[in-house]
Amino acid sequence: MSTTGFNDFAQRFAESRTAVISLLISLVFVACALFAPLMSPTDPYDLTQLQLSDALKPAGSTRMLPGEEVRANIRFQGGTASVEPASPAQTRQSITAESCGANCLGVGVAPEGTKLASLQIRNLPAGASVEGGKKHIVQPWWTVDNPEDGRVRIVSNSQLPENFTVLAIAKSLDRETDFVFRLGTDGFGRDMLSAILYGIRISVFVGLVAAGAAMVLGTGFGLLAAWRGGVTDAIIMRAVDFMLGLPALLVGLAILAILGNGVSKVVLAIVIVQWSYYARTARSFAISELGKEYVEAARCLRLSPTRIMLRHVLPNCMPQIIVLFTLNIAAAISLESSLSFLGVGLPLTRPSLGMLIASGYEFIFSHKYWISIYPGVVLLVMIVAMNLLGDRLRDLNNPRLDR
């Protein structure tokens, strides 16, 4: 296309504000797909970053770091207490113990003033108890929830043994961080904004690759049918009629039921579903082009059939095929999302938009709407924008609508 022709095409395209907005939205989704790892706050594929305590949080919630747990053996011998860590865990707190009088032993956490969720004392000697604590039904375990100043006292109405050892377990309160879940979290604790960005990446990748592969395969069959004609044309067109007579979703379900789920399997299923559209379109326009003078001139020059079809006929069929390609990208994304929603598309470890919608379906009636609604809105906007863009390109390439 010459510079003048391109400028005229761009000017006509820009006359429709809807088409321009659709183009901008489509470009935004493509940018999100390309730069998802840079734009997303977290990596939803990294299982080490997931915390079940963050699951099902609404939009605007902050991430909470789980409290630390400190264990120590407190040995009371001859009126003095010594503390030995029971585990090598690296924590900011440490357990302390000291005598607080006759038949009394104080247990706390350093640094002083640390707020604890609970402090549990195990293996107390007979007759001893913990002030303000609740005793286990069977075991000699005493637990104090939210102890004041992070300290408790072990007291006894009778004389404490000369030598005994208790196990102290202190758990600090959850700590609030500066990280905010802008769109909430799903049932696995994944940040929905990050999961949606990666879902856009997968959906756009599947749509482009599947539609592109179907375009190459279908266009090749269409050109072959138009050039050879006869039996070859009849066989290819009957196969096209057979594929067009089957529901796309049903064909995709059948293929994935046999092959299993995965990105490559989904792409193959979409290619098998969509190649027939390109074959019929390419054959139709190729037949009309084969009767024109430039093709006859190429034949008189004894050019090879491959060169005639690829160098002369195909370029004149490409505008219509590109329009179909644009429309089928949206159809491919929609089909992939439908298959993932039904559980036969992508695995749970690959959070596509359809899989995100499916994972939130079980929570939508318990007012956890954000898990399904936000990915659904993104998918709707993406498909509508690409369809409107394809409709505008189709109108511009329709000679009946040419001014």
Side-chain angles (χ1 to χ4, degrees):
M1 181 183 293
S2 63
T3 304
T4 304
F6 177 80
N7 292 336
D8 180 66
F9 179 84
Q11 183 178 2
R12 293 173 57 196
F13 179 86
E15 291 178 357
S16 174
R17 293 185 178 179
T18 302
V20 174
I21 294 174
S22 301
L23 177 60
L24 294 177
I25 293 175
S26 300
L27 292 177
V28 168
F29 281 118
V30 172
C32 291
L34 292 175
F35 304 106
L38 301 177
M39 299 172 61
S40 60
T42 63
D43 184 0
Y45 296 153
D46 188 358
L47 299 181
T48 61
Q49 296 184 10
L50 301 183
Q51 302 180 39
L52 290 180
S53 58
D54 292 331
L56 305 178
K57 286 189 174 182
S61 301
T62 57
R63 167 172 283 174
M64 303 293 292
L65 291 180
E68 298 177 340
E69 185 177 280
V70 186
R71 293 173 175 248
N73 291 313
I74 302 175
R75 181 171 298 173
F76 188 79
Q77 186 175 11
T80 60
S82 60
V83 179
E84 298 178 358
S87 60
Q90 299 293 329
T91 58
R92 297 180 300 172
Q93 291 88 26
S94 60
I95 294 179
T96 61
E98 59 183 4
S99 178
C100 55
N103 301 325
C104 177
L105 179 65
V107 179
V109 175
E112 294 184 3
T114 301
K115 295 183 178 180
L116 298 179
S118 65
L119 181 56
Q120 186 178 91
I121 308 295
R122 298 184 178 182
N123 306 325
L124 282 175
S129 62
V130 178
E131 289 184 347
K134 296 180 181 179
K135 186 180 181 300
H136 191 273
I137 299 177
V138 178
Q139 302 289 344
W141 299 348
W142 293 79
T143 304
V144 180
D145 295 326
N146 301 315
E148 185 177 356
D149 296 330
R151 301 187 62 82
V152 298
R153 293 202 312 167
I154 301 174
V155 295
S156 177
N157 295 327
S158 59
Q159 183 68 29
L160 288 172
E162 284 292 328
N163 301 316
F164 66 91
T165 302
V166 298
L167 174 64
I169 303 175
K171 185 175 182 180
S172 60
L173 293 172
D174 294 343
R175 293 181 290 111
E176 187 174 297
T177 64
D178 296 332
F179 184 84
V180 179
F181 297 109
R182 302 295 180 184
L183 300 180
T185 61
D186 62 2
F188 301 100
R190 289 183 299 210
D191 176 40
M192 287 301 302
L193 177 59
S194 303
I196 288 174
L197 289 173
Y198 274 83
I200 292 173
R201 190 182 198 190
I202 292 178
S203 296
V204 172
F205 171 79
V206 170
L208 290 175
V209 173
M215 178 181 68
V216 173
L217 181 64
T219 302
F221 278 118
L223 295 177
L224 178 62
W227 178 264
R228 297 295 297 272
V231 177
T232 303
D233 183 23
I235 293 175
I236 294 176
M237 286 301 102
R238 295 301 74 75
V240 169
D241 294 338
F242 175 76
M243 292 301 303
L244 293 177
L246 296 175
L249 184 59
L250 181 61
V251 175
L253 285 172
I255 295 173
L256 293 177
I258 298 173
L259 301 178
N261 58 9
V263 176
S264 59
K265 276 84 170 181
V266 172
V267 171
L268 178 60
I270 296 174
V271 170
I272 294 175
V273 168
Q274 290 191 346
W275 73 270
S276 54
Y277 298 98
Y278 296 98
R280 185 176 63 176
T281 303
R283 174 187 176 274
S284 174
F285 285 97
I287 289 177
S288 64
E289 294 294 326
L290 286 175
K292 295 183 177 179
E293 291 79 2
Y294 72 90
V295 176
E296 293 295 333
R299 285 174 173 171
C300 292
L301 294 174
R302 295 188 178 183
L303 299 179
S304 64
T306 303
R307 183 173 182 179
I308 293 175
M309 297 302 292
L310 297 182
R311 295 290 301 274
H312 300 277
V313 176
L314 180 60
N316 291 285
C317 301
M318 283 306 296
Q320 292 76 18
I321 294 176
I322 291 176
V323 171
L324 183 60
F325 171 73
T326 306
L327 293 172
N328 277 354
I329 291 176
I333 293 174
S334 178
L335 181 58
E336 178 273 322
S337 300
S338 301
L339 293 172
S340 297
F341 179 83
L342 295 175
V344 297
L346 300 182
L348 288 173
T349 55
R350 309 285 289 181
S352 68
L353 294 178
M355 183 59 66
L356 291 176
I357 297 172
S359 64
Y361 178 74
E362 58 180 313
F363 302 107
I364 197 169
F365 295 107
S366 58
H367 305 290
K368 307 292 191 303
Y369 62 89
W370 58 87
I371 305 177
S372 290
I373 294 299
Y374 293 152
V377 171
V378 171
L379 180 62
L380 176 64
V381 173
M382 182 190 304
I383 293 176
V384 170
M386 291 185 177
N387 277 325
L388 292 175
L389 177 61
D391 287 340
R392 181 58 180 170
L393 294 177
R394 181 176 56 188
D395 293 341
L396 293 177
N397 286 278
N398 189 348
R400 296 182 179 179
L401 299 179
D402 194 359
R403 297 175 303 178

